[in-house]
Amino acid sequence: MIQTGTTEKKPFRLVKFFTFSSLVVMFTATIALSAINTHWVKQILQQKNKEYAHLLVENLNHQVFLQFIIPVVLKYGKVQLREKDQYTRMDRVIRSTIHSFNVETVNIYDLKNIISYSLDKDRIGKKQPVGTPYDKAVKNKFTSNLVRSGNFFQLLLGIPNTTKIVTFAPLRAEKPLSSISGPVLGVMEIVQDVSQDYAKTFKLQLLIVISCAFIMGSLFFVLRFVVKQGEIIIEKRAEERLKLEEKLQRAEHLSAIGEMTAGVSHEIRNPLGIIKSSAELLKKKMTKLKESTTIVDIILEESIRLNNIIHDFLDFARPMTPDLKPCSIEELIEKNLHFINQQAREKQISFNKLVHGDIPLIMGDTNRLYQAFLNILLNALQATPPEKSVLITLGAHKTHVHLTIQDEGHGIDPEDLKKIWTPFFTTKELGTGLGLGIVKNIIESHKGNIHISNVQPTGTRVDISLPITEA
């Protein structure tokens, strides 16, 4: 019981541990992989937005300088955006440049941090405290920052209400026909709304999570199936090992019983022979003296019965080495039926034989097979109630001859069915409990198989399979 409990517990703990640990590892791996992929995508997107903003600023700087600053200076001598004509010209240049570029805000600061131009006219002339980005732009440095707005959970999940790129860049004078920029004239602030791009990034992130979860889940179920099959194999091997141990113990037990039985039987047989011969001699003398007594007959009868019991013991204990010769199973069954015909008539039991096709000869020991079949038929005869029948089916399939004997008795108790091959186990008042053991030894010595089971609605069925060997 302890071994069985151990073998059943280990595979269960193995699958349980694997299921929990692999689920945690795969879930963690899915989250980590999704986070890494999303981070990479966001980094690439942010870098592309910054590069896009830088190009937009360069283009805006070029258009403002060429189409506004130079013409205005040539016409008016200086730039004064407070003048309506100059402001209108600046506004037209900027709006035509940023058209279809999804720019939300454009502010141009002078070197005193005062807004000289804005798409929002209300902000013109105001001083805006922008801090470090403005200072860097004055020093001819480009800065671009990502600004998100939303509540705590929206920012945590990466789905803010709005996402904007705020870029500060110097407004520089350009030297014609040269890539060299001139002095800083002011600072440009451009605000781009990239919420749609980041919404697409979130959808991509969600798609990655779902894809990874599906792949990891599929992998998990495949691995769990493999481990489950491994568990089944471990259980089967454990059961096989236990069965082999039981068979080994049973074989050792039977071997010890056989040796003891053989020794005891030989020791009893000699004095039993003397008792029997003495009883026969005494019976002859009593007959001559014309004296009648039943005591001598009882001694002879019990001596014969005891000798048969000893014969069963020796048949069970000694190694079974059959004398193989060509023999017909059908003929042996006919001889058995002829032998028990009188007993069957007395009990009003009919034996029906059904033969399927031609039954080939096998290599077998005629005497021992006759003994085995007779034992089974007598058991069926004793178990079958009067006016019932016993069905004998005989057939051949490929490499084996199959014999089935089925009675209409009450069957064998399920608990007794487990013990029918145990030596000395019997449910009869008279009997040694070795009959079926001897039958099994005879069948297995012919490399055959025997199986006994209950059938519905009532009765017992004996299936015997013997190999066909060319005679």
Side-chain angles (χ1 to χ4, degrees):
M1 293 299 290
I2 294 176
Q3 291 179 346
T4 303
T6 304
T7 54
E8 290 179 355
K9 186 177 180 181
K10 285 184 178 179
F12 175 75
R13 290 182 61 188
L14 174 64
V15 172
K16 184 178 180 181
F17 173 77
F18 171 80
T19 302
F20 177 76
S21 59
S22 61
L23 187 61
V24 171
V25 171
M26 289 182 178
F27 178 77
T28 306
T30 300
I31 298 299
L33 183 61
S34 302
I36 292 172
N37 287 336
T38 305
H39 177 72
W40 287 344
V41 171
K42 287 183 176 179
Q43 289 293 324
I44 293 172
L45 180 61
Q46 187 173 355
Q47 184 63 31
K48 291 295 181 183
N49 285 330
K50 288 181 178 180
E51 293 175 358
Y52 179 77
H54 184 77
L55 291 174
L56 180 60
V57 167
E58 291 289 338
N59 183 47
L60 186 60
N61 188 104
H62 180 72
Q63 297 298 327
V64 168
F65 186 77
L66 290 180
Q67 296 186 31
F68 176 76
I69 295 177
I70 292 178
V72 167
V73 170
L74 291 176
K75 184 177 181 179
Y76 298 103
K78 62 179 179 178
V79 176
Q80 291 181 325
L81 288 174
R82 288 189 296 272
E83 298 292 334
K84 184 177 180 180
D85 292 342
Q86 292 188 24
Y87 179 84
T88 302
R89 186 182 185 93
M90 171 70 88
D91 188 62
R92 183 172 60 251
V93 170
I94 289 178
R95 288 184 184 276
S96 63
T97 304
I98 66 174
H99 176 68
S100 74
F101 282 97
N102 200 24
V103 175
E104 186 178 273
T105 302
V106 175
N107 295 322
I108 297 179
Y109 300 83
D110 61 14
L111 297 178
K112 296 180 180 179
N113 198 7
I114 296 175
I115 297 177
S116 300
Y117 171 82
S118 176
L119 294 177
D120 184 5
K121 294 181 179 181
D122 295 335
R123 301 180 66 181
I124 296 175
K126 295 181 179 180
K127 189 173 183 178
Q128 189 75 14
V130 293
T132 303
Y134 175 85
D135 296 335
K136 288 184 177 180
V138 171
K139 296 177 182 179
N140 202 18
K141 293 182 179 179
F142 175 92
T143 59
S144 185
N145 296 311
L146 191 67
V147 179
R148 297 184 180 94
S149 63
N151 58 42
F152 173 78
F153 293 103
Q154 288 176 324
L155 296 176
L156 180 64
L157 296 175
I159 49 173
N161 284 335
T162 58
T163 304
K164 299 178 181 180
I165 293 287
V166 180
T167 304
F168 282 85
L171 177 61
R172 298 167 296 192
E174 294 183 355
K175 294 183 178 182
L177 304 177
S178 174
S179 60
I180 302 173
S181 300
V184 176
L185 303 177
V187 174
M188 290 188 295
E189 178 189 6
I190 297 178
V191 180
Q192 296 171 267
D193 190 349
V194 292
S195 300
Q196 292 183 354
D197 294 339
Y198 279 85
K200 293 179 181 179
T201 304
F202 175 74
K203 291 180 180 179
L204 177 62
Q205 176 184 5
L206 188 62
L207 182 61
I208 292 173
V209 171
I210 294 174
S211 301
C212 291
F214 176 76
I215 294 172
M216 292 297 182
S218 301
L219 180 62
F220 167 75
F221 283 110
V222 170
L223 292 177
R224 193 179 189 283
F225 173 78
V226 172
V227 174
K228 187 65 177 178
Q229 294 302 310
E231 173 191 332
I232 294 173
I233 293 174
I234 292 174
E235 289 179 350
K236 287 183 178 179
R237 289 184 177 178
E239 291 176 0
E240 291 174 358
R241 180 175 59 82
L242 290 175
K243 288 180 180 179
L244 288 175
E245 290 178 355
E246 290 176 359
K247 285 183 179 180
L248 180 61
Q249 293 175 358
R250 183 171 177 270
E252 293 176 351
H253 179 65
L254 293 179
S255 176
I257 292 177
E259 292 178 1
M260 180 191 69
T261 302
V264 173
S265 298
H266 281 296
E267 292 299 324
I268 293 176
R269 211 165 195 178
N270 291 331
L272 181 61
I274 296 174
I275 293 173
K276 183 180 176 182
S277 59
S278 299
E280 290 174 348
L281 181 60
L282 180 60
K283 184 175 181 180
K284 291 179 181 179
K285 289 184 178 182
M286 295 294 289
T287 303
K288 291 179 180 181
L289 295 175
K290 297 180 180 181
E291 293 185 10
S292 61
T293 178
T294 58
I295 297 176
V296 178
D297 293 331
I298 293 173
I299 295 174
L300 282 173
E301 183 179 346
E302 293 301 318
S303 298
I304 294 171
R305 191 170 71 86
L306 185 57
N307 186 66
N308 291 334
I309 293 174
I310 293 174
H311 188 270
D312 287 344
F313 284 170
L314 291 175
D315 280 346
F316 179 79
R318 64 192 175 193
M320 197 69 70
T321 306
D323 182 14
L324 301 179
K325 295 178 181 179
C327 66
S328 170
I329 301 297
E330 190 173 359
E331 290 181 3
L332 291 177
I333 295 296
E334 285 294 334
K335 290 180 181 179
N336 290 140
L337 294 177
H338 181 73
F339 180 81
I340 64 174
N341 184 49
Q342 184 60 34
Q343 299 181 50
R345 287 182 179 180
E346 292 176 358
K347 288 192 66 176
Q348 298 180 351
I349 295 174
S350 60
F351 281 82
N352 303 319
K353 187 176 72 170
L354 183 61
V355 180
H356 298 286
D358 296 330
I359 308 302
L361 298 178
I362 69 166
M363 295 296 291
D365 190 323
T366 304
N367 294 328
R368 293 191 181 277
L369 289 177
Y370 175 86
Q371 176 188 355
F373 298 155
L374 181 61
N375 195 319
I376 296 172
L377 290 171
L378 287 175
N379 286 344
L381 179 65
Q382 295 169 5
T384 305
E387 300 182 356
K388 296 288 184 178
S389 63
V390 177
L391 178 62
I392 303 170
T393 306
L394 190 60
H397 180 67
K398 293 183 179 179
T399 59
H400 285 76
V401 172
H402 301 283
L403 172 65
T404 300
I405 301 173
Q406 182 174 326
D407 61 53
E408 295 183 351
H410 300 292
I412 304 174
D413 186 88
E415 292 298 324
D416 294 339
L417 192 60
K418 301 176 183 178
K419 307 174 185 177
I420 56 176
W421 306 117
T422 304
F424 307 111
F425 172 78
T426 180
T427 57
K428 302 175 183 178
E429 294 182 1
L430 297 177
T432 60
L434 296 175
L436 287 178
I438 295 172
V439 170
K440 186 175 183 181
N441 287 346
I442 293 173
I443 299 300
E444 290 181 349
S445 68
H446 286 76
K447 298 181 180 179
N449 295 307
I450 181 172
H451 178 70
I452 298 178
S453 60
N454 288 324
V455 293
Q456 296 297 332
T458 57
T460 303
R461 172 172 173 161
V462 180
D463 293 290
I464 297 175
S465 177
L466 292 168
I468 300 173
T469 307
E470 292 185 3

